[in-house]
Amino acid sequence: MGLNDNRDNFKNDEGFRLIKSGSKAKGLASLRAAALNGQPNALATIIWHYLLDDEIKLALKDYEQCIVKTDEWIANEKKRIDKLWLVSAADKNNAINHYRYQVSNSKSNAGLAYLAAGKEKVAIDLWNE
């Protein structure tokens, strides 16, 4: 087992690869599956792609459905990687900090969606977080 050996990370990576190769629908489906479990990278990415496609309602729906799962996902991932032997404490901390950053990135992206939906106060509150 390695630092990134998590089924949701695999779904995230596969989704990213599919999008880059031109299979956007399949890629977004893979990313969304990971985001629904709380994987923060996947959530930030799907919201961003929904924004690019002017799918504001979908961006907000998925954000609201998935963001509440990210803290638990990160806590579980921390427990998993804390058990790894051949990974330095610094690398473990970097991984968890990256996931926390992606939660902030998700909120920032969602802020753009809320702004586009005419909910400026919600957007500003997210950005102030």
Side-chain angles (χ1 to χ4, degrees):
M1 274 257 163
L3 192 58
N4 295 312
D5 290 345
N6 174 306
R7 65 185 169 87
D8 293 320
N9 289 341
F10 294 142
K11 289 177 191 174
N12 176 72
D13 295 348
E14 179 63 14
F16 203 78
R17 276 191 296 278
L18 285 166
I19 288 172
K20 283 181 78 174
S21 72
S23 298
K24 187 171 183 178
K26 288 180 183 179
L28 287 175
S30 185
L31 287 164
R32 188 168 188 272
L36 286 169
N37 289 330
Q39 210 287 352
N41 302 48
L43 180 57
T45 304
I46 62 169
I47 294 170
W48 184 251
H49 280 280
Y50 292 153
L51 286 167
L52 293 175
D53 292 342
D54 201 28
E55 294 284 351
I56 304 306
K57 288 181 182 178
L58 190 53
L60 293 175
K61 176 183 167 267
D62 279 0
Y63 169 76
E64 291 169 359
Q65 185 175 6
C66 299
I67 194 66
V68 296
K69 299 175 185 180
T70 57
D71 285 343
E72 182 179 358
W73 189 93
I74 291 170
N76 289 335
E77 186 63 357
K78 184 174 182 342
K79 288 178 194 174
R80 184 189 73 78
I81 67 173
D82 279 348
K83 295 176 186 175
L84 298 175
W85 287 27
L86 300 175
V87 179
S88 72
D91 286 346
K92 292 175 185 180
N93 286 332
N94 285 339
I96 296 304
N97 287 336
H98 172 77
Y99 295 131
R100 289 185 181 132
Y101 167 79
Q102 289 300 329
V103 169
S104 295
N105 190 20
S106 296
K107 289 178 180 181
S108 180
N109 291 351
L112 291 171
Y114 281 112
L115 188 62
K119 297 181 180 182
E120 184 178 329
K121 168 112 173 65
V122 178
I124 291 171
D125 288 345
L126 280 172
W127 292 327
N128 284 333
E129 250 182 70

